[in-house]
Amino acid sequence: QSVLTQPPSASGTPGQRVTISCSGSSSNIGSDTVNWYQQLPGTAPKLLIYDDNQRPSGVPARFSGSRSGTSASLAISGLQSEDEADYYCAAWDDSLNGWVFGGGTKLTVL
Amino acid sequence: EVQLVESGGGLVQPGGSLRLSCAASGLTFSIYSMNWVRQAPGKGLEWVSGISGSGGSTYYAASVKGRFTISRDNSKKTLFLQMNNLRAADTAVYYCAKAAGTAVNTHASDYWGQGTLVTVSS
């Protein structure tokens, strides 16, 4: 069981906007920033969002992140077929003294 | 271009040991903290261990503490993970990941290797 809680699946049609939630506690999301990773099938994870809402160079503006209290969310607008992947949230946990991940959300583009 | 290449994975019996390596190129290695993250077959990501840029600070997940040791050789731009007393539950693809800064606890992992598979089975 993961320390951060994500829905196991999400879906949308091309062009739609979808959001993926990530719930934690005061020792992780409540006190530290959240990062999001995208893992395409058969590949290594890729950093998608860091420090809650910052996009690394090359990540389209369609991807955005936010954090409030002990929860965070990833939003994908203008959904495209190539967005079909697993998405993971992560945060530093001050109690565990380590990084914790969500269980991952499998995004399906219908 | 930053490149991370893991090696050292393979099949090992329960109770055995393995040493993973991660060779880095295209970066000033000593500036950045590094992490090991694993992914069991069909499962999600699990952080295993992290080390600061200087190597002076190390962190471990509870599941591996006392069995795994992370280290680095900045002169050779190489990260290591010594894994002892391996269990079936340690079976996973192990990824080496570079953090965006020196401290382990404050920076996201912005570059990842392709991973090396460790299988613990008799």
Side-chain angles (χ1 to χ4, degrees):
Chain A
Q1 194 157 353
S2 303
V3 174
L4 304 182
T5 301
Q6 297 180 235
S9 64
S11 63
T13 56
Q16 246 185 346
R17 182 178 187 270
V18 297
T19 61
I20 296 171
S21 62
C22 176
S23 178
S25 67
S26 59
S27 64
N28 41 67
I29 295 178
S31 56
D32 291 283
T33 58
V34 175
N35 307 311
W36 290 90
Y37 298 91
Q38 177 193 58
Q39 188 175 32
L40 297 171
T43 70
K46 167 192 168 186
L47 180 62
L48 196 64
I49 295 288
Y50 67 97
D51 289 352
D52 296 335
N53 53 22
Q54 301 299 302
R55 283 177 289 105
S57 174
V59 173
R62 305 186 292 106
F63 295 90
S64 62
S66 64
R67 177 172 67 108
S68 178
T70 58
S71 294
S73 64
L74 172 71
I76 309 171
S77 59
L79 197 62
Q80 299 180 3
S81 58
E82 55 261 40
D83 298 333
E84 195 160 279
D86 293 324
Y87 293 84
Y88 296 90
C89 58
W92 181 264
D93 192 295
D94 293 327
S95 295
L96 297 175
N97 217 23
W99 287 98
V100 291
F101 282 91
T105 298
K106 183 176 184 61
L107 176 63
T108 301
V109 181
L110 302 170
Chain B
E1 179 193 3
V2 174
Q3 284 197 325
L4 302 171
V5 179
E6 301 95 336
S7 61
L11 175 63
V12 61
Q13 292 189 338
S17 299
L18 273 181
R19 189 193 198 201
L20 305 184
S21 299
C22 171
S25 60
L27 74 163
T28 306
F29 185 66
S30 61
I31 290 177
Y32 302 102
S33 61
M34 299 290 295
N35 292 287
W36 287 100
V37 178
R38 68 185 180 184
Q39 186 169 34
K43 302 296 184 183
L45 301 175
E46 179 190 15
W47 174 80
V48 172
S49 182
I51 186 169
S52 61
S54 68
S57 297
T58 57
Y59 304 82
Y60 298 93
S63 58
V64 307
K65 198 165 189 176
R67 300 187 299 123
F68 290 11
T69 302
I70 191 172
S71 61
R72 63 191 297 162
D73 184 336
N74 285 344
S75 67
K76 296 183 178 178
K77 294 188 176 184
T78 304
L79 175 72
F80 303 101
L81 185 68
Q82 177 66 43
M83 304 186 296
N84 297 332
N85 192 18
L86 284 160
R87 307 165 179 167
D90 296 317
T91 295
V93 172
Y94 284 72
Y95 294 103
C96 146
K98 166 198 166 293
T102 301
V104 174
N105 61 339
T106 54
H107 297 282
S109 290
D110 55 358
Y111 287 91
W112 296 62
Q114 285 308 300
T116 186
L117 176 63
V118 172
T119 303
V120 184
S121 175
S122 54

